[in-house]
Amino acid sequence: MPNSHTTFQRWMRCLIIIFILIMAYIVIADRYVPLTTEGRVQGYVVQIAPEISGRITQVNIKNNQTVIKGQLLFQIDDQKYRLAVVQAQVALEKAHQQEQSLYAQVNAAQANIATNQANYNNAHNDFKRIDQLAKKRLVSASMRDGAYTKKQATQANLAAAKQQAIVIKTQLGSKKGKSTVVLAAENALAQAKLNLTHTKVIAPSDGVITNLQVDVGTMANANQPMLTFIPTDSMWVAADFREKSTAKFTPHSTAYVAYDALPGQVFPLTINSRDFGVAAAQQIANGRLAVMETSNRWVRDAQRVRVNLTSQHSLPPQLFVGSRATVVVYPQNNPVWQLLAKIEIHLASVLHFIY
């Protein structure tokens, strides 16, 4: 019996020591090789919307299809947009004709200026002669006043002719083809051609089409999303760590990740950034007093902060936006912590076979 009691005490002491060592490792490791199961694959979700309105005549994709940059997604009926291009081309030709007319008006305005200049010179000379005769009382004052009025009228006509020439020249611009009417018509033509190209909605980059709600005959409205596009080269992993776990993160910290979708496999990651805030601390200016957060617990829940991690290579194709992941971060230049981190993540990866 004493031997059994002694053996029991020995085992209890061993278990207590093991428990203390495990607890000490957990506390220390949470600072140097923190592990979290709160990781998810993130990605940019792009809403594809046409820039013009019209009936969809062709759909070249299927739901959850992988596409490449520049690939045609769907086609909008382009008949009215082709007619708009033809209309704009006709308007441009008309604008060139109007420009030629303006050049002709400039020549006419120059001739009109010359005529009014001659009339003014003649009236001015007549007034000078009559004014000298009036001073010698050889002609009446009314004749002098008439000559002065004629001189003023011809001067006003000359000024008006010059202003008319300036107005026409302003519309013409610096050279041929730069008149306001031609520039406006060219702009309208460019807009019409641009609208015609927008009848073909193409993939902005390599990615996957999901939540497809488009078919032939659907009416597309400008700037209204028609489908969801996820760029495959924009995916990263976001992991939520306790804030004390991130205190020792440096630009040289690296990570391992185990995805739930790929049990038994481990992949390397690098830290890209850490969020600079959480929603719980966001304050909105609403004209009310601040609400105090209260807790009756002696030890409150630890605050978590999001850390964004990227891979040097494309993420495995089995993953999708929202895939769950387990992440462990370790100091890159410490082989001991790296080994422990590798053991932890491989253990978690194996457990993914079960849960």
Side-chain angles (χ1 to χ4, degrees), residues 13-233:
R13 283 195 295 269
C14 291
L15 289 176
I16 292 173
I17 292 172
I18 292 173
F19 176 77
I20 292 173
L21 290 175
I22 292 175
M23 288 300 298
Y25 172 77
I26 291 174
V27 172
I28 296 173
D30 198 38
R31 293 279 287 173
Y32 293 93
V33 282
L35 181 143
T36 179
T37 58
E38 298 298 324
R40 284 188 183 273
V41 175
Q42 301 285 344
Y44 295 116
V45 179
V46 180
Q47 293 180 320
I48 301 294
E51 298 193 42
I52 49 94
S53 301
R55 182 175 59 86
I56 295 177
T57 57
Q58 182 180 352
V59 178
N60 291 34
I61 51 173
K62 296 180 180 179
N63 199 25
N64 298 317
Q65 177 181 336
T66 300
V67 297
I68 61 175
K69 182 178 180 179
Q71 182 175 338
L72 178 64
L73 303 181
F74 60 88
Q75 170 88 43
I76 297 175
D77 187 8
D78 62 355
Q79 184 176 0
K80 68 176 182 180
Y81 296 102
R82 291 184 181 277
L83 291 176
V85 171
V86 174
Q87 246 180 345
Q89 289 172 338
V90 172
L92 180 59
E93 290 295 327
K94 186 177 179 181
H96 281 294
Q97 294 173 2
Q98 291 178 354
E99 186 183 66
Q100 292 297 327
S101 175
L102 288 173
Y103 275 106
Q105 291 179 36
V106 168
N107 294 332
Q110 294 292 347
N112 190 32
I113 290 174
T115 301
N116 283 282
Q117 184 69 53
N119 291 337
Y120 170 74
N121 292 339
N122 186 47
H124 179 69
N125 293 332
D126 285 346
F127 171 72
K128 288 174 64 178
R129 288 192 294 267
I130 294 174
D131 183 56
Q132 291 178 358
L133 293 174
K135 290 178 180 179
K136 298 178 181 179
R137 299 184 180 275
L138 297 177
V139 296
S140 64
S142 61
M143 182 177 292
R144 178 189 178 281
D145 293 340
Y148 179 77
T149 302
K150 185 177 180 181
K151 172 199 167 187
Q152 292 296 101
T154 55
Q155 187 176 12
N157 291 337
L158 177 60
K162 289 180 178 180
Q163 291 299 320
Q164 182 64 25
I166 293 173
V167 170
I168 298 173
K169 287 181 178 179
T170 302
Q171 298 178 41
L172 285 174
S174 58
K175 59 182 180 179
K176 284 189 176 182
K178 297 298 181 181
S179 62
T180 53
V181 290
V182 171
L183 291 177
E186 288 177 343
N187 183 68
L189 178 59
Q191 183 63 55
K193 289 181 177 179
L194 182 62
N195 288 340
L196 181 59
T197 62
H198 287 159
T199 59
K200 294 182 178 181
V201 180
I202 62 175
S205 63
D206 297 348
V208 177
I209 300 298
T210 187
N211 193 27
L212 180 64
Q213 303 291 331
V214 175
D215 201 357
V216 174
T218 303
M219 283 299 300
N221 296 315
N223 302 320
Q224 293 296 318
M226 300 292 294
L227 52 87
T228 303
F229 175 79
I230 300 176
T232 52
D233 58 351

Side-chain angles (χ1 to χ4, degrees), residues 36-43 236-246 249 271-279 302-309 321-324 327 329:
T36 179
T37 58
E38 298 298 324
R40 284 188 183 273
V41 175
Q42 301 285 344
W236 71 95
V237 176
D240 298 337
F241 287 91
R242 287 184 290 272
E243 61 177 316
K244 71 182 182 70
S245 301
T246 64
F249 285 3
I271 295 179
N272 183 35
S273 64
R274 187 196 68 179
D275 286 5
F276 204 67
V278 294
Q303 176 62 55
R304 290 184 176 268
V305 61
R306 178 151 297 177
V307 177
N308 300 296
L309 305 107
V321 174
S323 290
R324 299 299 297 266
V327 180
V329 177

